[in-house]
């Protein structure tokens, strides 16, 4: 579909709307089969393995970008680290986007190929730094 992939909170369809606005593929429960087929992801692998493949393919093969909407994201939880994909994290804590951000800020290639958005606009480098979002080595 698109060369880019959109990440962010899926509150009341916000992620799908964001993806359409910025011209990027999204991965939600509504688009899972389409997305999985498009990136040929294995259902038997972990979420972390699959998202790694998606982000690598987006950047390296599709020459695309990661478009990340940080609206409603608990940035401090991503920076702190230690998040693991579990049903509790996804269903009860609703921190899957924070896990994605946690992975992204610890991978320089992904981070350098990410455009951060909030409230319908692209954030400047200074705004991103002001929110504490930076590469963690």
């Amino acid at each position: 579909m698109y060369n880019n992939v959109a990440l962010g909170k899926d509150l009341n369809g916000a992620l799908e709307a964001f993806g359409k606005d910025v011209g990027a593929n999204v991965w939600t429960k509504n688009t899972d089969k389409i997305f999985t087929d498009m990136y040929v992801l294995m259902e038997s692998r972990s979420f972390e393995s699959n998202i790694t493949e998606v982000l690598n393919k987006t950047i390296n093969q599709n020459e695309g970008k990661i478009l990340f909407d940080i609206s409603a994201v608990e940035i401090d939880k991503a920076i702190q680290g230690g998040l693991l994909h579990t049903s509790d994290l996804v269903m009860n804590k609703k921190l899957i986007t924070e896990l994605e951000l946690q992975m992204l800020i610890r991978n320089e290639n992904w981070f350098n190929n990410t455009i951060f958005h909030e409230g319908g606009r692209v954030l400047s480098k200074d705004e991103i730094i002001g929110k504490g979002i930076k590469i963690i080595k």
Side-chain angles (χ1 to χ4, degrees), residues 63-77:
E63 297 179 359
K65 294 288 183 188
I66 301 162
L67 307 171
F68 202 113
D69 182 5
I70 63 165
S71 302
V73 173
E74 295 183 52
I75 296 167
D76 58 323
K77 291 196 186 303

Side-chain angles (χ1 to χ4, degrees), residues 4-72:
N4 304 318
V5 66
L7 302 175
K9 291 281 190 184
D10 191 31
L11 306 171
N12 301 316
L15 181 56
E16 288 186 65
F18 173 62
K20 285 180 185 173
D21 286 347
V22 296
N25 304 313
V26 297
W27 190 358
T28 69
K29 60 184 175 188
N30 296 333
T31 63
D32 183 43
K33 291 299 175 199
I34 298 165
F35 194 86
T36 300
D37 289 346
M38 185 169 52
Y39 284 91
V40 194
L41 303 174
M42 297 187 326
E43 290 186 29
S44 63
R45 288 196 321 194
S46 72
F47 171 82
E48 288 89 349
S49 295
N50 281 336
I51 196 70
T52 293
E53 185 170 333
V54 165
L55 299 181
N56 285 337
K57 278 187 177 182
T58 296
I59 294 167
N60 300 328
Q61 290 178 12
N62 296 348
E63 297 179 359
K65 294 288 183 188
I66 301 162
L67 307 171
F68 202 113
D69 182 5
I70 63 165
S71 302

